[in-house]
Amino acid sequence: MFEFKMLFTLNCKSNLILFIVVIVLCCGNCSHVKGVWNTKDFFKFLLKFGVQKTDVHYEKDTKGYVFGNITARTNFSFSHLVTFSVLDRRYFLEYYGNRSVDDKERACQNMFRKISTIAFDVPCFENKPSEDFIRKVPCNKNEVCKEDKLGSVVNGYQLTFEVTDVKEPRFWYLSLVACYRNETTCEWHHFKEEAELEYDIWFVNGNPNISSFNPLIYQFSFDRQNTILLYLVFFLCYMVLVPLQMYAVTRQHHPVTKLFTVSLLLEFVGLLFNLLDVTKFSIDGVGYHRIAIAGDILDILSRTTFMLLLLLLAKGWAVTRMELTWKPLVFTIWFVYGVVHILLYVWNLTEVDIIEDIDEYQTWPGWLILVLRCQIIVWFLFELRTTMLYEHNSKKLNFFLHFGASALVWFIYLPILALIAMQIPAFWRFKLLLGITYSADCLAYCVMAHLLWPTRSEQYFLLAYQHDAREELDEFNEAPHVINSVGYAELRQASSCDSITQEITKVIT
């Protein structure tokens, strides 16, 4: 009999190291960032944020706003002020690409060559048409920054940027760099001194000066707005499905049912963690980043466990045959798929450059997992066909037909979705992937719960749970017709004994 607990433990252990690596990562999707930066590090990327399209009728309330504080951590005397920049993609690409130039003096000049032609700066660019892209920091404590007008700064903060995009949504990028502009020559130079700055920056969609902002969009980058509704809808679906499956597993103690229940519970807990993260994020712009990572890991474990269940059933285990054939191959494929899936997740968080507008399936680990999944689809169909040729029971064949159709849809949706997502703009891609992925998983779990429901699965499970019949046997023995039958048998036995005794007595006499 297959021990699903051992398999699940193996999967968890195999991914433990990678999980530890991921769990210590810093937040990558926050709208509120705070920390300390040392100027010897030269460049510090802070945040990428999607600003929504500004409604000209409600311009003040639909703009993007950057506000916060940047101060010196100690009483260090700055000979020059370094630069805090808020740039859109048109200017950020060149700026970001030149940060790695070894000669930092030349790096500063290259980074700001294009920006210097448009960014407002006193006194070098004061009386020309300009964009509000940079601030000289640190600002004096309890005072607004030099370039800010007191009336436009959000209460309690030192600097404020207002971002307007009337044509379309756009990504903006926040960073600190150890460069300064000489006010006499208007040339950019490297700040060679070492100093520490404390920063506390917010980037939001909507007016921070009012209290009636929409919590579903205010703290969220445009590409992630309203995702809390997606998490909530599917959480409510699982709130119905999970109790039903828990009832089913108590009615039928079968390894297939147990393995499916484990997969479903992992999905439910992972979704709960993600819902907690986005709910807190809507309040403080930070969320529970580690809980969100744990939720993503549980989601991956759920899908790999569900895939294992599909492969086992395709081979006819516990339906057509009691012994599982080619065990090393099945578990190797399952293990490799799980490891590659975790690798893809880690790669997407650590190796994909923040400025790249690509999803996880447009990286080489993403293509690898799609190719592997397509190969698994072919093998799944081959095993299912072999099992159905071997099987002649009409009820079991009917089960395999429904199972195969639903499982194939679950297997094939991801490669198709990955190809479609390549044609979708970055602002809509995340929500598309999230919505279709959760929809496909939820539908697959609902179909599987239907197929494995105890009153139905008893018709085709070879290892169906044999319930304890002792209580029914006791009731049966106490029934009147049984008692009468027993009494009649005892009476006949006693009469037979009397007859035999009489015959022996006659012989002796």
Side-chain angles (χ1 to χ4, degrees), residues 14 104 113 146 148 197 248 275 295 303 339 432 468 483:
S14 67
K104 298 308 178 187
R113 181 180 293 112
K146 182 178 178 181
D148 281 279
L197 276 66
L275 180 60
R303 291 173 189 169
V339 170
L432 174 73
D468 189 354
I483 294 176

Side-chain angles (χ1 to χ4, degrees), residues 171 202 255:
F171 281 116
W202 296 74

Side-chain angles (χ1 to χ4, degrees), residues 183-200:
E183 295 184 358
T184 302
T185 64
C186 293
E187 297 292 331
W188 287 92
H189 302 283
H190 176 214
F191 182 81
K192 299 179 181 179
E193 303 170 54
E194 182 178 341
E196 288 188 335
L197 276 66
E198 289 184 328
Y199 57 87
D200 183 1

Side-chain angles (χ1 to χ4, degrees), residues 11-136:
N11 195 25
C12 289
K13 288 182 178 179
S14 67
N15 294 312
L16 179 60
I17 296 177
L18 290 174
F19 175 76
I20 293 174
V21 171
V22 177
I23 203 72
V24 298
L25 294 174
C26 61
C27 181
N29 295 314
C30 300
S31 66
H32 179 201
V33 291
K34 58 192 308 183
V36 177
W37 173 59
N38 193 309
T39 56
K40 71 177 182 179
D41 296 329
F42 184 68
F43 182 83
K44 175 69 175 180
F45 181 82
L46 299 177
L47 180 64
K48 174 184 177 182
F49 192 84
V51 176
Q52 64 193 4
K53 180 181 177 181
T54 304
D55 187 341
V56 294
H57 300 291
Y58 305 95
E59 183 176 345
K60 200 72 176 177
D61 296 333
T62 56
K63 287 182 178 181
Y65 287 83
V66 180
F67 58 95
N69 301 317
I70 303 178
T71 57
R73 194 176 187 186
T74 62
N75 293 325
F76 179 81
S77 178
F78 284 78
S79 58
H80 297 89
L81 299 179
V82 295
T83 305
F84 170 65
S85 65
V86 179
L87 303 172
D88 67 3
R89 188 174 181 83
R90 296 170 300 171
Y91 294 93
F92 183 77
L93 290 178
E94 180 178 315
Y95 166 87
Y96 183 74
N98 284 296
R99 81 196 188 284
S100 57
V101 174
D102 292 333
D103 183 355
K104 298 308 178 187
E105 186 75 13
R106 186 161 60 90
C108 288
Q109 295 172 7
N110 293 344
M111 291 173 72
F112 288 93
R113 181 180 293 112
K114 185 176 181 180
I115 298 172
S116 296
T117 63
I118 194 68
F120 175 82
D121 191 11
V122 179
C124 294
F125 210 87
E126 185 174 4
N127 300 315
K128 300 178 183 178
S130 58
E131 296 286 347
D132 189 15
F133 282 163
I134 59 176
R135 291 288 185 277
K136 297 173 183 178

Side-chain angles (χ1 to χ4, degrees), residues 418-429:
L419 294 175
I420 295 175
M422 295 176 62
Q423 312 302 320
I424 303 299
F427 280 112
W428 308 102
R429 191 181 301 134

